[in-house]
Amino acid sequence: MRMGPLRRKFRQIDGPTWIVALVIYALWFLLVWYNAGLPWWVITPAGAYLLAWHFSLQHEAIHAFRGVPAWLRFAVVFPPLGLWFPYPLYRKSHSTHHRDVNLTIPGVDTESYYVRRADWQRMGPVKRALLTFNQTMAGRLLIGPALRLWILVVRETGRVRQGDYSHLPHWAVHAVAVALLFWFISSVCGFPWWQYCLLVAYPGLSLGLLRAFTEHRAAENSQERTAAVESNAVFGVLYLYNNLHVVHHLKPTMAWYDIPRFYRANRDELLKSNGHFVYAGYGELAKRYLFVPVFSPVHPTL
């Protein structure tokens, strides 16, 4: 189907992504501005969805969103609504993750949920239990953010102890940005910063981690390591269709709004190439893995 000139121009400037960005920031502002009149059971799911959506927007800016200059793309996604991680470091870490030959390998893939067998054997029973629980959907949502943050602290402090101070300027800028965010949230909007952490930021990271719950698995063939979760539009838009992860790793620069059409047109070929590593949706994942580990934390081939 041929596109008209206005539609073509709209896509050239990544109009759909601009709309997502404007909606996220507008709704986030309204949520914190009117927080006093909203019950927690509205603030928490709405805030979690917006923050997970913002994580997806940051991910999109790493790979696509090329219709604007790099500095503007950076500025659009820089605000640390989710608090936890400086965007420049996320961009650097995620770029390492996309080296397909390293996918799932602990210590190499920056987003691996596996550990090496030798490390597992040195762990105590409590740590093993926590890592195993984290491979269930309930665990990923409940303790996943805490474990992710603990690993982040260990890695970053270890980097400093080894004499690598390259990340410290990013953390300094991030600390200033979070302080300004807390000032606006608490002093201007009357939303205590600690409540924002508990009611919005932590659930937002939980919902963001749900996407990564089983998007990769250990496999000899690197093409069979990446899944597709054929969810509905609510989760599709939330994750900017990165739930169809097999497409993203095949064509990482493809804009989010082009992924569903490409997946539908090439579904059989894509699923054949990834060994039919596919789920009907997050409901199916919950039925199968709510309290059952999706895989063992020990990497099976190392």
Side-chain angles (χ1 to χ4, degrees), residues 203-274:
L205 185 53
S206 290
L207 192 55
L209 292 179
L210 176 62
R211 177 185 59 78
F213 175 60
T214 183
E215 67 186 12
H216 293 295
R217 66 180 178 185
E220 291 292 339
N221 185 344
S222 63
Q223 290 184 315
E224 296 182 1
R225 297 175 188 171
T226 307
V229 180
E230 299 173 332
S231 189
N232 55 42
V234 173
F235 283 98
V237 172
L238 171 63
Y239 297 133
L240 296 184
Y241 291 102
N242 200 28
N243 51 297
L244 302 174
H245 209 56
V246 63
V247 176
H248 174 62
H249 272 263
L250 179 66
K251 295 182 175 293
T253 60
M254 179 176 285
W256 65 272
Y257 42 86
D258 288 330
I259 290 176
R261 185 186 306 110
F262 181 88
Y263 182 80
R264 289 192 299 269
N266 300 277
R267 183 180 185 275
D268 292 343
E269 182 180 349
L270 290 167
L271 296 186
K272 181 179 179 180
S273 69
N274 83 339

Side-chain angles (χ1 to χ4, degrees), residues 170-205:
H170 296 297
W171 281 108
V173 172
H174 184 71
V176 172
V178 170
L180 291 172
L181 192 76
F182 279 163
W183 169 80
F184 175 76
I185 291 170
S186 297
S187 299
V188 177
C189 300
F191 192 175
W193 65 269
W194 61 269
Q195 289 187 15
Y196 182 85
C197 291
L198 293 178
L199 297 179
V200 178
Y202 194 95
L205 185 53

Side-chain angles (χ1 to χ4, degrees), residues 13 37-38 48 55 62 100 104 137 162 178 204 213 231 250 273 293 296:
I13 63 171
L38 298 173
F55 292 143
I62 293 173
D100 280 359
T104 75
M137 183 179 285
Q162 293 172 6
V178 170
F213 175 60
S231 189
L250 179 66
S273 69
S296 167

Side-chain angles (χ1 to χ4, degrees), residues 64-295:
F65 201 14
R66 303 295 177 176
V68 297
W71 66 267
L72 181 56
R73 183 168 66 248
F74 180 91
V76 168
V77 300
F78 173 78
L81 304 189
L83 305 180
W84 307 118
F85 200 39
Y87 172 69
L89 298 187
Y90 169 52
R91 181 175 58 185
K92 176 183 176 182
S93 171
H94 189 69
S95 298
T96 301
H97 163 74
H98 267 265
R99 298 168 186 165
D100 280 359
V101 68
N102 298 328
L103 276 179
T104 75
I105 306 229
V108 181
D109 179 3
T110 56
E111 299 179 16
S112 175
Y113 282 91
Y114 289 96
V115 298
R116 296 178 182 271
R117 187 171 300 278
D119 295 331
W120 178 261
Q121 292 172 345
R122 287 192 292 266
M123 293 177 187
V126 173
K127 190 171 184 180
R128 289 186 182 184
L130 288 175
L131 291 181
T132 302
F133 184 48
N134 193 43
Q135 304 311 330
T136 70
M137 183 179 285
R140 189 64 56 89
L141 295 174
L142 293 174
I143 68 169
L147 289 179
R148 186 73 173 264
L149 296 175
W150 174 249
I151 292 171
L152 176 63
V153 169
V154 170
R155 286 178 179 171
E156 293 299 301
T157 55
R159 186 184 298 274
V160 172
R161 285 197 298 268
Q162 293 172 6
D164 182 354
Y165 306 110
S166 61
H167 286 189
L168 292 184
H170 296 297
W171 281 108
V173 172
H174 184 71
V176 172
V178 170
L180 291 172
L181 192 76
F182 279 163
W183 169 80
F184 175 76
I185 291 170
S186 297
S187 299
V188 177
C189 300
F191 192 175
W193 65 269
W194 61 269
Q195 289 187 15
Y196 182 85
C197 291
L198 293 178
L199 297 179
V200 178
Y202 194 95
L205 185 53
S206 290
L207 192 55
L209 292 179
L210 176 62
R211 177 185 59 78
F213 175 60
T214 183
E215 67 186 12
H216 293 295
R217 66 180 178 185
E220 291 292 339
N221 185 344
S222 63
Q223 290 184 315
E224 296 182 1
R225 297 175 188 171
T226 307
V229 180
E230 299 173 332
S231 189
N232 55 42
V234 173
F235 283 98
V237 172
L238 171 63
Y239 297 133
L240 296 184
Y241 291 102
N242 200 28
N243 51 297
L244 302 174
H245 209 56
V246 63
V247 176
H248 174 62
H249 272 263
L250 179 66
K251 295 182 175 293
T253 60
M254 179 176 285
W256 65 272
Y257 42 86
D258 288 330
I259 290 176
R261 185 186 306 110
F262 181 88
Y263 182 80
R264 289 192 299 269
N266 300 277
R267 183 180 185 275
D268 292 343
E269 182 180 349
L270 290 167
L271 296 186
K272 181 179 179 180
S273 69
N274 83 339
H276 293 273
F277 185 18
V278 61
Y279 298 95
Y282 292 98
E284 180 191 349
L285 285 170
K287 291 177 182 178
R288 295 173 62 176
Y289 301 117
L290 185 62
F291 296 109
V292 176
V294 66
F295 54 71

